[in-house]
Amino acid sequence: MHLGSVRARTTLGATAVVALVLVVTGLVVVLSLRSDLVRTADLEAEVGARRVASQIAGGVAFGDLRLPDEDEPVQVIGPRGEVLAATEDLASVAGVKGITPRQYDMDDDDKDDDDPGRGEVSTGAVFSTRDATVDGVVDEYRFAAVEATSPGGTTVLVYAGKDLTTTRNAVSATVRSMLLGLPLVLLVVAAATWLVTRRALRPVEAIRGEMASITEAGDLARRVPVPDSRDEIARLAATTNRTLAALESSVEQQRRFVADASHELRNPIASLRAQLEIALEHRELLDLPGAVEDVHRLQQLTTDLLLLARMDAGEARPPASVISLTEMVADELAARPDADRVPIIVDLEEGIRVEGHPRLLARALSNLVDNAQRHAHSSVRVALHARGDRAVLRVADDGEGIPPADRERIFGRFVRRDDARTRDEGGAGLGLPLAREIVRSHHGTLQAVEPAVRGAVLEITLPLSPA
């Protein structure tokens, strides 16, 4: 048994808790039993003392008193501390010799100082545990002391005892029984806990084994078994399977991303290489503008790939600040080249502020405008308005529009519609997905919505800044 395992720790912990509970319970039981037995001994001793005291109060001479046997020793103490009567074979009672009834009254705070009247017995009794020597044997007794006054006016103390041997034997027997039964009970608890824990952790071991196999094989399509128990372990297995599914999707997305990136990078690199190789042999055939365009396209693609990779890793976001979205949109549109293919119609509401990163939001807007310019027939419209607690930025064109079936697909990486696949159309299918990632990082949304008349409408929504 490995002491560091959950099963071992659970078994040891459960056994220790049960042992503590049994020890505390046993202690309470033993103390209660001893207290009950002592109270019983007090009662029996008091009964014996009053029986003798009643004889004295009735006028029976001290020499004629009927005293119990040696199992219940009795001693009668006179006014001057002398022993007037005692059970046969009772030699002495510790701490009693020489005590007078008057001293007895003064030493006992719970009793009245007045002696009982003639022919009466005191209503109270004082109890104490004392050693007594009976038949030459010293043993422990529980004594009850009462006062009695004879008809002649003599007040005496009557001590009657009850042997505590029975009490000690009963308590000792109880303790021995508990001590003998404790190991057996703990053994049963440990065995039961071990078996129950083993059964409870069996699904966990199955999950661990399957995860180890998945890690070794590298097959993220596999899933761990989900038990039918509908408990925490079942929820753990379900969560693990969801995590594996997310990992599988992420890995598959990364694989497609790498494959698509390799494909997209190969075309401009191959074109540039071909032009340079031709230029080595025939300098007059060098297409310098085409080479520059290929380099620019390669640089833009590389920049987009790097930014996407950094955003996927959560590293591309500088500290956020409250910015004027109205001013940012106006500045970005004003900075666009005059050679834009179609004019841009601007409709901006003043005073719209959001919390974000101007450079990234400007990049997202630029990508949307580039996309709209690529597909528009005669114009592009950029509108910014507030809608409730959201800022709504729309970029619309009057082109052929986006079929409803493609309105989500266009945000996939390296996804381009058939009319945008030629080199002169530009773009590598990264503009829209990059814009969506930027907007999502600002807790917003980017989607293609239904146009009012024709063309395509891409809508960004961002939470307004309360400041």
Side-chain angles (χ1 to χ4, degrees):
M1 178 178 68
H2 189 268
L3 295 180
S5 65
V6 174
R7 191 187 311 170
R9 294 199 304 269
T10 303
T11 301
L12 292 176
T15 305
V17 170
V18 172
L20 179 61
V21 171
L22 290 178
V23 168
V24 173
T25 303
L27 182 61
V28 172
V29 170
V30 169
L31 293 177
S32 299
L33 175 62
R34 187 179 186 280
S35 178
D36 291 341
L37 292 175
V38 169
R39 282 197 296 268
T40 301
D42 287 346
L43 180 60
E44 293 179 357
E46 184 180 1
V47 169
R50 291 189 179 281
R51 187 181 296 120
V52 174
S54 298
Q55 296 178 52
I56 296 173
V60 178
F62 295 115
D64 296 333
L65 293 174
R66 295 188 301 276
L67 302 178
D69 57 22
E70 60 184 19
D71 291 336
E72 298 180 2
V74 173
Q75 194 174 65
V76 181
I77 306 299
R80 292 180 296 277
E82 73 275 21
V83 178
L84 301 178
T87 302
E88 186 179 2
D89 296 331
L90 174 61
S92 64
V93 177
V96 172
K97 184 177 181 181
I99 294 181
T100 66
R102 178 63 58 185
Q103 292 172 328
Y104 169 77
D105 286 341
M106 294 176 61
D107 292 341
D108 181 16
D109 294 334
D110 296 331
K111 285 175 52 60
D112 297 331
D113 290 338
D114 295 334
D115 294 334
R118 294 174 182 269
E120 293 182 351
V121 179
S122 62
T123 57
V126 176
F127 302 97
S128 60
T129 301
R130 301 175 183 272
D131 290 337
T133 303
V134 179
D135 197 18
V137 178
V138 179
D139 210 341
E140 191 177 48
Y141 290 80
R142 187 68 175 173
F143 280 93
V146 297
E147 285 182 307
T149 302
S150 67
T154 302
T155 300
V156 297
L157 283 176
V158 178
Y159 274 91
K162 178 64 178 178
D163 190 2
L164 292 179
T165 302
T166 303
T167 299
R168 290 196 305 271
N169 291 341
V171 172
S172 298
T174 302
V175 172
R176 284 195 301 271
S177 299
M178 289 182 175
L179 291 178
L180 290 175
L182 181 62
L184 179 60
V185 172
L186 295 181
L187 181 61
V188 172
V189 170
T193 305
W194 178 265
L195 294 177
V196 170
T197 307
R198 179 182 180 182
R199 181 179 179 84
L201 293 178
R202 190 175 298 161
V204 177
E205 181 61 25
I207 294 173
R208 187 207 63 78
E210 185 63 21
M211 286 295 294
S213 299
I214 292 173
T215 302
E216 183 178 354
D219 184 6
L220 295 177
R222 295 167 57 177
R223 298 293 181 264
V224 300
V226 179
D228 299 329
S229 54
R230 297 184 180 180
D231 55 8
E232 292 84 351
I233 297 178
R235 292 195 291 272
L236 171 64
T239 303
T240 302
N241 283 337
R242 288 196 295 270
T243 302
L244 288 172
L247 286 174
E248 181 185 15
S249 176
S250 177
V251 170
E252 182 61 27
Q253 181 180 4
Q254 291 298 322
R255 288 173 179 170
R256 290 197 305 268
F257 181 79
V258 171
D260 291 339
S262 300
H263 175 76
E264 295 294 334
L265 287 171
R266 184 168 53 239
N267 289 337
I269 291 175
S271 175
L272 183 60
R273 178 181 177 180
Q275 293 184 60
L276 293 176
E277 289 178 348
I278 292 174
L280 287 176
E281 300 294 335
H282 307 281
R283 294 182 181 273
E284 69 279 2
L285 298 179
L286 174 63
D287 182 9
L288 190 58
V292 172
E293 182 181 350
D294 285 338
V295 171
H296 176 74
R297 182 184 176 198
L298 184 60
Q299 181 183 17
Q300 185 65 37
L301 179 58
T302 304
T303 301
D304 289 346
L305 288 173
L306 179 60
L307 182 56
L308 274 174
R310 292 180 59 197
M311 294 197 70
D312 288 341
E315 301 175 356
R317 297 184 61 186
S321 60
V322 177
I323 63 172
S324 172
L325 188 60
T326 304
E327 295 180 2
M328 188 278 293
V329 173
D331 292 344
E332 176 63 23
L333 295 179
R336 293 187 64 84
D338 296 334
D340 274 350
R341 193 170 67 85
V342 294
I344 300 176
I345 303 172
V346 182
D347 179 15
L348 304 180
E349 180 178 332
E350 295 294 334
I352 295 183
R353 301 174 66 84
V354 298
E355 184 175 342
H357 317 285
R359 180 175 58 82
L360 292 178
L361 290 176
R363 179 63 182 277
L365 174 61
S366 176
N367 287 359
L368 296 188
V369 173
D370 288 342
N371 179 77
Q373 290 258 351
R374 189 174 298 118
H375 297 92
H377 289 325
S378 60
S379 66
V380 171
R381 183 182 183 88
V382 177
L384 174 63
H385 299 280
R387 181 194 301 162
D389 61 348
R390 311 283 288 185
V392 180
L393 176 60
R394 284 192 165 199
V395 179
D397 65 69
D398 59 353
E400 298 300 326
I402 306 172
D406 291 338
R407 287 177 184 169
E408 184 61 28
R409 190 179 70 87
I410 60 173
F411 294 103
R413 297 179 182 183
F414 298 106
V415 172
R416 289 176 296 177
R417 295 171 56 198
D418 291 338
D419 58 353
R421 291 187 177 274
T422 61
R423 186 178 111 171
D424 57 349
E425 288 288 347
L430 289 178
L432 294 184
L434 180 58
R436 171 171 276 190
E437 290 298 328
I438 292 174
V439 173
R440 281 179 175 173
S441 70
H442 288 73
H443 309 290
T445 61
L446 169 58
Q447 57 186 346
V449 298
E450 186 70 28
V453 182
R454 58 171 296 177
V457 179
L458 298 179
E459 180 181 272
I460 293 176
T461 64
L462 295 170
L464 290 171
S465 172

